[in-house]
Amino acid sequence: MKQRKFLLALLVCAVIIGCLPIPANATEIPDKNIIWLDDLEGEWIDLSTVEQPNDGPQPRTTVSANGTYSAHSIWAVGQPINFNANDLITFNCSYSPSSASLDFGVIASNNKFYSINVKGGSINQTLGINEAGSYTVAIRNNSSQTVRVVGFVNY
């Protein structure tokens, strides 16, 4: 009987402790190494030199960046898209030859190209949009040879 009372008391204590409010401190979610457009130097682009895809409007989701990019050219990856402030664009691509230098970024409605220069054959980087507006995701091949890119752009 004593053992039963002891177990019952222990169970009651466990229930009481389980019901006590426990303070929860919010933890900050890491920024996934986001590079914000405000932190990049924009460069004026002549839109007539940007190669456009033949496909129609793109939904806001994942877009394939698969393609062959000519030497010293810039290509739009899909159509212009309206982004809100704090929206994110993630480039997850590989390319060959890996010795090539590519710029991955966006062309803003003011014709400025905000980009990340990549060497080494791959990118897994997120760009953050600071200001709402229309942006075109783009890839520029800085090398003197044709480059094959495979991967996705998520937004």
Side-chain angles (χ1 to χ4, degrees):
M1 192 69 160
K2 277 187 170 185
Q3 188 178 21
R4 190 177 221 172
K5 285 185 180 182
F6 176 75
L7 288 175
L8 183 60
L10 187 61
L11 181 62
V12 169
C13 288
V15 169
I16 291 172
I17 290 173
C19 292
L20 291 176
I22 298 173
N25 295 329
T27 59
E28 191 171 310
I29 297 173
D31 66 3
K32 296 175 20 180
N33 297 318
I34 297 170
I35 297 175
W36 293 93
L37 292 189
D38 282 354
D39 297 331
L40 297 172
E41 188 72 30
E43 160 187 356
W44 293 103
I45 294 291
D46 178 2
L47 291 182
S48 67
T49 65
V50 177
E51 302 286 339
Q52 295 289 331
N54 293 330
D55 39 334
Q58 298 291 323
R60 291 191 57 182
T61 183
T62 300
V63 176
S64 171
N66 296 347
T68 303
Y69 298 86
S70 310
H72 303 292
S73 65
I74 185 167
W75 291 75
V77 179
Q79 300 295 324
I81 296 187
N82 290 322
F83 287 99
N84 297 316
N86 298 319
D87 278 350
L88 301 176
I89 302 167
T90 301
F91 294 93
N92 190 0
C93 303
S94 297
Y95 62 88
S96 65
S98 61
S99 59
S101 168
L102 299 182
D103 294 330
F104 291 82
V106 294
I107 302 171
S109 57
N110 63 1
N111 297 354
K112 279 192 170 184
F113 182 44
Y114 297 90
S115 64
I116 304 165
N117 181 259
V118 179
K119 297 173 184 158
S122 67
I123 181 173
N124 186 358
Q125 183 63 59
T126 301
L127 281 180
I129 302 293
N130 296 92
E131 186 177 321
S134 178
Y135 296 87
T136 302
V137 177
I139 299 173
R140 178 170 54 192
N141 179 358
N142 300 310
S143 72
S144 58
Q145 53 193 335
T146 298
V147 175
R148 173 86 178 135
V149 175
V150 293
F152 296 96
V153 181
N154 302 310
Y155 44 86

